[in-house]
């Protein structure tokens, strides 16, 4: 299994950089580890968005996670479809020093 951080400690809403799902990531299931950390109560909503043209990105209810915890929270998901590009999009975030990190891996 290999891993790639596609979002690192993002503290504001908005989409992160896109990453091509080259040969290392296209032939296998992809796993996403999505975490928020901060001080006190933290929450975040993060969508994993995919595209075939690196212009129009899509997500659905299955690729959007809501995180909530005291100092940290994490969740994972698995993607089986073979898209060409992926990015993480923080659609909501709150809490003192709350920051989102997303790591992509292959199984």
């Amino acid at each position: 299994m290999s891993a790639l951080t596609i979002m690192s400690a993002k503290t504001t809403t908005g989409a992160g950089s896109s990453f091509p799902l080259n040969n290392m990531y296209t032939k296998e299931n992809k796993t996403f580890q999505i975490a928020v950390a901060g001080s006190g109560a933290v929450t975040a909503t993060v969508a994993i968005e995919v595209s075939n043209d690196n212009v129009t990105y899509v997500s659905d209810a299955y690729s959007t996670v809501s995180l909530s915890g005291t100092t940290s929270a994490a969740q994972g998901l698995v993607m089986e479809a073979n898209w060409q590009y992926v990015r993480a999009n923080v659609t909501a975030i709150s809490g003192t020093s709350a920051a989102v990190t997303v790591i992509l891996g292959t199984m």
Side-chain angles (χ1 to χ4, degrees):
M1 181 171 176
S2 59
L4 172 69
T5 300
I6 65 169
M7 179 173 280
S8 181
K10 184 163 175 62
T11 59
T12 59
T13 58
S17 299
S18 65
F19 289 87
L21 294 174
N22 58 26
N23 290 337
M24 181 180 295
Y25 297 101
T26 57
K27 297 181 191 247
E28 303 171 341
N29 291 340
K30 277 105 13 223
T31 59
F32 295 87
Q33 177 181 308
I34 304 159
V36 62
S39 177
V42 293
T43 64
T45 303
V46 182
I48 301 300
E49 300 178 334
V50 291
S51 173
N52 280 326
D53 62 7
N54 202 20
V55 175
T56 303
Y57 279 82
V58 297
S59 67
D60 60 28
Y62 299 109
S63 60
T64 300
V65 297
S66 294
L67 306 168
S68 179
T70 303
T71 70
S72 66
Q75 194 169 336
L77 62 88
V78 176
M79 180 187 303
E80 296 178 1
N82 289 322
W83 292 86
Q84 296 299 308
Y85 300 91
V86 66
R87 70 182 183 189
N89 187 356
V90 178
T91 59
I93 188 167
S94 67
T96 303
S97 302
V100 171
T101 297
V102 180
I103 300 171
L104 163 66
T106 57
M107 299 178 7

